[in-house]
Amino acid sequence: MAKQNKPTTEEEIIYVSKSELKRDAQQYQQLAQDLANMPKKQRDKLPLSDDLIEAMVVADKIRQKSEAYRRHINYITKTLRLTDNVADIEAAIGLMLNKNKQADVLLNKIELVRDELISQGDSKINELLDKYPELERQKMRQLVRQASKEMQAEKPAKGYKELFQYLKDAMMP
């Protein structure tokens, strides 16, 4: 009988399915499209390599030419696959999107505070002044009074908007 040669060290072979490769390619393709569609100011804040920066400049120039733009997106996708810091780029994009969501939540909170000020009056003003000492009591009372008068008379909401802007300036970081 012949001896069978068994490998002395066990080697792990990692199999990657064809569908997993396709999903990865689609993720890179989507990231390339997201980068190309971003405003230039936002892209400047991302940690892009020199090749990607040049590709984005070209993408901005040929955006109107649909077939050339499609091929260029494929080139950007290929460049992203060869880039080492794709995770950093995705994290930076995620952070940008999250900041926008946080700002929306804060603006909604300010709108609620404004409505509470108009409905509750001085008690809410005192509570708000404890949280935000930089607010002026007299100006707050004046704006609240003006906004409530406008709401009762069904006039244009100039004071309502001024109160929101005043709160926004004080409460936004």
Side-chain angles (χ1 to χ4, degrees), residues 146-158:
Q146 182 181 356
S148 62
K149 282 182 184 178
E150 288 173 356
M151 285 181 69
Q152 290 172 356
E154 297 179 7
K155 290 185 176 181
K158 182 180 176 191

Side-chain angles (χ1 to χ4, degrees), residues 63-91:
R63 185 174 303 264
Q64 302 303 320
K65 301 172 183 168
S66 61
E67 184 60 23
Y69 185 69
R70 183 194 63 78
R71 287 192 312 268
H72 193 67
I73 292 293
N74 289 341
Y75 170 73
I76 293 171
T77 304
K78 177 183 171 189
T79 308
L80 279 170
R81 280 194 208 122
L82 301 174
T83 303
D84 295 334
N85 66 341
V86 173
D88 295 339
I89 294 170
E90 287 177 332

Side-chain angles (χ1 to χ4, degrees), residues 121-150:
D122 282 343
S123 62
K124 187 66 178 178
I125 290 174
N126 291 334
E127 183 183 319
L128 198 62
L129 287 172
D130 290 339
K131 286 184 183 177
Y132 301 98
E134 65 271 7
L135 292 172
E136 297 176 27
R137 180 182 309 273
Q138 183 178 357
K139 184 164 182 145
M140 289 284 297
R141 292 178 84 186
Q142 176 187 5
L143 290 172
V144 168
R145 198 170 36 247
Q146 182 181 356
S148 62
K149 282 182 184 178
E150 288 173 356

